[in-house]
Amino acid sequence: MGAEVEVKDEESITKLSTKSRFRYNSPLVQVSLIGLVCFCCPGMFNALSGMGGGGQVNRTATNNANTALYTTFAVFGILGGGIYNILGPHLTLAAGCSTYVLYAGSLLYYNHQPHQGFVIIAGALLGIGAGLLWACEGAIMTSYPPPNRKGTYISLFWSIFNMGGVIGGLVPFILNYHRNEAASVNDATYIGFMCFMSAGTLLSFAILPPNRVVRDDGTRCTDVKYSSVSKEATEVLQLFTNWKMLLIVPAAWASNFFYTYQFNNVNAVLFNLRTRGLNNVFYWGAQMLGSIGIGYILDFSFQSRRMRGFVGISVVALLGTAIWGGGLANQLPYSHDRPQSEKLDFKDSSFAGPFVLYFSYGLLDAMFQSMVYWVIGALADDSQTLSRYSGFYKGVQSAGAAVAWQVDTHKVPFLSQLIVNWSLTTISYPLLVLLVMLAVKDDNKTEDEIENEAPVPSSNKDINSTAIST
């Protein structure tokens, strides 16, 4: 009788191990939820920005707003990891998400009252909120998954997040299909974005703190208490002398710098209003493909973790060189002084070449950023350290973006912008290789060996104990 009970217990544990990945408190569900939050907020913001000028004919207001946005983002991106460690995910995410709603509302206001002051203030507040959101997101995405599957979970997040850009691109395409090219996008477009962003703010309360997330092997993501202001201030300051973070700086600076060029000087300059929305559907769709592809390479291509890192960086470097080379060929025929005579529509025969290039830019963006996140995730396992690392990455990234928006505002030649973008990404590859070589611990164990070493939960209660509480 006792033996039968023991056998049944073992069978129930085996079934639990198979089904547990779909528990509410599992890393899979929690990473999917943070993906949905980002789908609704930064995903929709990306669709809005991708139209060039936030959908406005005059890009000056949004360029200045984006400068304010990324300036405050640079500061709060770095501070965001410490704030997350003090407040936890609920307050950090909700505060961050609400600023996206305000920014979309400011552009709705600008449609009727073309005074850029409100848009710039909303942009500055969004920078604060984005710093909080992305530091929280980075901690969740890099610390919740099992160590040997971080690339897969990053791909999952990136796919869900960028689906927001796909859906968000359809909104302006459909609602402005017959709209005059000389007009800005209509009010309904901004209202639609605000509805999605509001939903994301509410959804942020569904995210569990790290000490209540249980992996399939029964281990918790972390069991640390939230930190203090003095400790976080000290830890954040030390990031600026951390050699690992210094090696990431060029990649971080480059990773948002190219958005200004791609959105304003390729999509907005070459294509008409409705086609820009359609292009963004495929730009963000390409990001989904890119993240899945690089995620597979970084998790499954080789047994050695270091080798996977080297191969992933090499693939992105080769693809990036080819895509920026294509961008150079596309850029040579037009400039500020030699504008294209007529903007392209998706029905034009000459649409295909520039469209494929813009699609490829989206593919490269996802592969580049997923690769950097994988490297960051390989540097540590606990959420506190990774929240600081992710916050530093987003802070430097945003400082680069702030500079890029002002570069475009001051009418720097398109060709110069392209060369700078290409150079920044190229410089980052050997530094990331060096970081993987020096700081990433190799892991040559097979999946079976990892599973055999993993602790088995003594009962269903241990693994599901936090599922009923949010």
Side-chain angles (χ1 to χ4, degrees), residues 297-357:
I297 292 172
L298 292 170
D299 272 357
F300 300 104
S301 58
F302 290 90
Q303 186 172 313
S304 165
R305 179 159 66 170
R306 281 183 184 167
M307 181 58 68
R308 297 197 301 268
F310 294 148
V311 171
I313 294 169
S314 300
V315 168
V316 176
L318 291 172
L319 185 64
T321 301
I323 291 172
W324 283 115
L328 177 62
N330 178 75
Q331 180 58 75
L332 292 176
Y334 73 95
S335 66
H336 282 299
D337 299 325
R338 292 179 290 111
Q340 188 168 273
S341 57
E342 188 173 344
K343 294 195 174 186
L344 295 172
D345 187 77
F346 71 94
K347 295 181 179 179
D348 296 338
S349 58
S350 55
F351 165 74
F355 166 77
V356 171
L357 173 66

Side-chain angles (χ1 to χ4, degrees), residues 67-403:
T67 300
L69 189 164
Y70 287 105
T71 300
T72 55
F73 194 168
V75 176
F76 279 85
I78 294 171
L79 297 177
I83 294 172
Y84 163 79
N85 288 338
I86 295 169
L87 299 180
H90 288 163
L91 292 177
T92 307
L93 281 175
C97 290
S98 61
T99 60
Y100 284 85
V101 185
L102 178 65
Y103 180 74
S106 73
L107 291 175
L108 175 62
Y109 171 84
Y110 191 79
N111 257 3
H112 301 276
Q113 301 291 334
H115 305 300
Q116 59 177 305
F118 180 32
V119 181
I120 294 172
I121 292 172
L125 292 173
L126 175 55
I128 296 172
L132 301 180
L133 183 148
W134 282 105
C136 187
E137 174 275 335
I140 291 171
M141 188 175 67
T142 55
S143 68
Y144 284 20
N148 63 323
R149 288 294 175 266
K150 291 192 177 185
T152 304
Y153 279 73
I154 289 170
S155 300
L156 172 66
F157 163 81
W158 212 261
S159 297
I160 297 172
F161 156 50
N162 283 299
M163 181 59 72
V166 173
I167 303 299
L170 286 172
V171 171
F173 175 67
I174 294 170
L175 296 180
N176 299 277
Y177 189 85
H178 299 292
R179 196 166 179 83
N180 190 321
E181 174 59 29
S184 300
V185 299
N186 59 19
D187 290 356
T189 302
Y190 293 123
I191 293 171
F193 283 129
M194 291 174 70
C195 291
F196 276 107
M197 292 168 177
S198 298
T201 304
L202 296 175
L203 189 60
S204 66
F205 290 100
I207 304 297
L208 291 175
N211 61 350
R212 291 162 62 188
V213 177
V214 185
R215 299 191 180 105
D216 291 350
D217 60 9
T219 60
R220 295 181 184 272
C221 294
T222 183
D223 199 24
V224 296
K225 295 180 180 180
Y226 287 122
S227 188
S228 65
V229 174
S230 59
K231 175 178 171 58
E232 290 305 320
T234 302
E235 294 290 343
V236 167
L237 288 174
Q238 288 177 351
L239 293 173
F240 292 92
T241 58
N242 185 323
W243 64 272
K244 299 174 187 177
M245 294 297 98
L246 295 179
L247 288 176
I248 283 177
V249 165
W253 188 276
S255 60
N256 266 190
F257 200 88
F258 47 65
Y259 280 158
T260 307
Y261 171 77
Q262 293 171 4
F263 294 162
N264 280 4
N265 303 327
V266 177
N267 199 28
V269 168
L270 294 183
F271 302 97
N272 63 23
L273 182 62
R274 67 181 184 181
T275 305
R276 294 202 297 269
L278 180 65
N279 286 348
N280 280 330
V281 172
F282 288 92
Y283 181 93
W284 302 112
Q287 299 237 357
M288 298 167 65
L289 297 176
S291 63
I292 292 171
I294 195 65
Y296 180 85
I297 292 172
L298 292 170
D299 272 357
F300 300 104
S301 58
F302 290 90
Q303 186 172 313
S304 165
R305 179 159 66 170
R306 281 183 184 167
M307 181 58 68
R308 297 197 301 268
F310 294 148
V311 171
I313 294 169
S314 300
V315 168
V316 176
L318 291 172
L319 185 64
T321 301
I323 291 172
W324 283 115
L328 177 62
N330 178 75
Q331 180 58 75
L332 292 176
Y334 73 95
S335 66
H336 282 299
D337 299 325
R338 292 179 290 111
Q340 188 168 273
S341 57
E342 188 173 344
K343 294 195 174 186
L344 295 172
D345 187 77
F346 71 94
K347 295 181 179 179
D348 296 338
S349 58
S350 55
F351 165 74
F355 166 77
V356 171
L357 173 66
Y358 193 66
F359 177 91
S360 300
Y361 280 145
L363 190 75
L364 178 61
D365 177 27
M367 295 183 75
F368 187 88
Q369 294 211 54
S370 296
M371 171 192 69
V372 178
Y373 268 118
W374 182 89
V375 173
I376 292 173
L379 299 178
D381 286 321
D382 66 282
S383 67
Q384 282 195 322
T385 300
L386 289 173
S387 68
R388 299 182 195 114
Y389 285 178
S390 299
F392 182 85
Y393 168 68
K394 296 302 294 188
V396 175
Q397 181 186 71
S398 302
V403 172

Side-chain angles (χ1 to χ4, degrees), residues 1-7 9:
M1 184 72 176
E4 289 181 4
V5 172
E6 186 176 345
V7 169
D9 285 344

